[in-house]
Amino acid sequence: MVSESAPKMTEAELMAAEREIARRHIGRFPYLAVIWGIGNFGVSLSLWPLVLTGAVPLWAGFLIATLNISLSYLPSHEAQHDIIARPGEKLRWLNELVGHTSTIPLVIPYRFLRLTHLEHHKHANDPALDPDYAFHAADPFSAVLQSFRNRRPRGAAQKEAYTETLIRIGRSDVILDATIYEFAYYAILIALAWSGYAIEAALLWWLPRHIAQTYIQFFLGWAPHHPGHEKGRYRDTRAFRFALGNIASMGMQYHIVHHLHPRIPLYRTPRAYWQLRDILIARGCDIGRL
């Protein structure tokens, strides 16, 4: 239903107004993402010696590690869309540095994420082509369970969808990146356990990673696309309200703005949303209770 305040515009006028608003936000340097990405990676490295030497208690290290890994994806997400710097620009090295380093704690390589994520944008909610379709579920509780099911050795639907996507687009070489990451991850865990640090390995990386993956997949994969039955530029993503606020949802309440204009930095999506809201209503977008 279109609100009374929604602009009565033609298709061409709506598109022109939407592009004008988007232009106000595209091109703004994402300082927060750069500081966040590099700083968060630094925390993940420093946490190990701090806990292993007793400077930080293990229980506190577990909480920090869980938060740390949960926050590791979004800076890379900015880099995946070339928001820090586009190819050929002077700061391109910084874009790639943030992209590669920020997801190391998550144990997923940047190129693997970037290529599959761009395919998600092209084919959102398509059960055959969307690599994130495995995140779909009937309700929040089912979405959490689905996240764990997707990571079972015999039910890794998400991983299979990603590898199939890379093969389909002719980038099967990137699968090797993920294989190397996984091998290194388990080699480090085994080495730590062999050295008498099995509990530390479990509470500083293994368990926090599982919790973080569920958190990220819930808010980036399930919540912005639920119920996930429609396709198309204005129908495959929604805006929603999370009881604990936009920060707790990692900024995903306004994810519809990102799908419409992927090069708008994350920190500007709330402002862009409220400026675009009447246009989104006129377009018939699902904006929930926002």
Side-chain angles (χ1 to χ4, degrees):
M1 181 177 180
V2 178
S3 72
E4 294 180 0
S5 61
K8 309 301 181 182
M9 298 179 178
T10 66
E11 171 69 22
E13 290 171 334
L14 282 170
M15 182 58 71
E18 180 184 329
R19 288 175 176 171
E20 172 56 31
I21 292 171
R23 275 196 292 268
R24 301 174 196 170
H25 303 279
I26 294 172
R28 301 297 185 94
F29 188 78
Y31 293 97
L32 177 61
V34 173
I35 297 170
W36 174 355
I38 296 175
N40 198 56
F41 179 61
V43 170
S44 71
L45 292 178
S46 64
L47 192 58
W48 288 92
L50 289 173
V51 171
L52 295 182
T53 60
V56 172
L58 182 57
W59 66 265
F62 165 69
L63 296 177
I64 295 170
T66 301
L67 179 63
N68 174 249
I69 301 176
S70 297
L71 294 174
S72 66
Y73 177 75
L74 284 176
S76 175
H77 180 257
E78 299 282 276
Q80 291 167 32
H81 289 285
D82 303 326
I83 293 175
I84 299 170
R86 305 187 78 172
E89 295 181 347
K90 291 182 178 179
L91 290 179
R92 181 62 178 176
W93 64 269
L94 184 59
N95 188 91
E96 301 304 274
L97 177 67
V98 172
H100 282 286
T101 59
S102 61
T103 57
I104 289 175
L106 197 57
V107 198
I108 309 178
Y110 171 55
R111 293 199 305 166
F112 186 92
L113 286 170
R114 183 177 187 274
L115 291 170
T116 54
H117 182 66
L118 294 180
E119 287 300 299
H120 161 68
H121 272 262
K122 294 177 185 177
H123 306 289
N125 294 346
D126 186 323
L129 298 175
D130 182 0
D132 288 347
Y133 195 80
F135 298 145
H136 289 213
D139 52 66
F141 180 72
S142 298
V144 172
L145 289 181
Q146 183 67 17
S147 176
F148 283 103
R149 290 193 192 102
N150 287 341
R151 294 196 297 275
R152 292 181 304 172
R154 295 185 179 180
Q158 175 203 355
K159 185 178 292 186
E160 290 176 3
Y162 279 19
T163 56
E164 289 172 2
T165 296
L166 291 170
I167 293 170
R168 175 173 56 81
I169 65 175
R171 293 304 309 271
S172 57
D173 59 301
V174 178
I175 298 173
L176 179 62
D177 294 12
T179 303
I180 293 172
Y181 267 53
E182 285 284 327
F183 179 83
Y185 168 66
Y186 285 111
I188 292 171
L189 291 184
I190 292 170
L192 285 167
W194 189 269
S195 303
Y197 296 108
I199 295 177
E200 287 81 358
L203 293 182
L204 292 181
W205 207 353
W206 182 82
L207 183 57
R209 181 181 178 230
H210 274 290
I211 295 172
Q213 284 179 305
T214 299
Y215 189 70
I216 292 168
Q217 291 170 6
F218 182 90
F219 282 111
L220 273 77
W222 180 81
H225 298 285
H226 180 71
H229 302 315
E230 298 189 66
K231 293 181 282 186
R233 176 177 169 81
Y234 297 97
R235 301 300 299 170
D236 59 18
T237 319
R238 64 170 182 152
F240 66 95
R241 184 184 297 277
F242 180 51
L244 299 181
N246 192 48
I247 293 177
S249 75
M250 297 194 291
M252 292 302 109
Q253 290 187 145
Y254 307 101
H255 194 63
I256 189 170
V257 172
H258 171 67
H259 265 252
L260 290 173
H261 302 281
R263 296 200 66 252
I264 294 179
L266 177 66
Y267 79 97
R268 295 192 69 89
T269 55
R271 189 181 307 179
Y273 169 83
W274 289 108
Q275 293 174 357
L276 288 166
R277 189 173 186 273
D278 283 345
I279 294 173
L280 300 180
I281 292 173
R283 293 288 195 184
C285 297
D286 182 355
I287 60 170
R289 292 180 294 159
L290 279 176

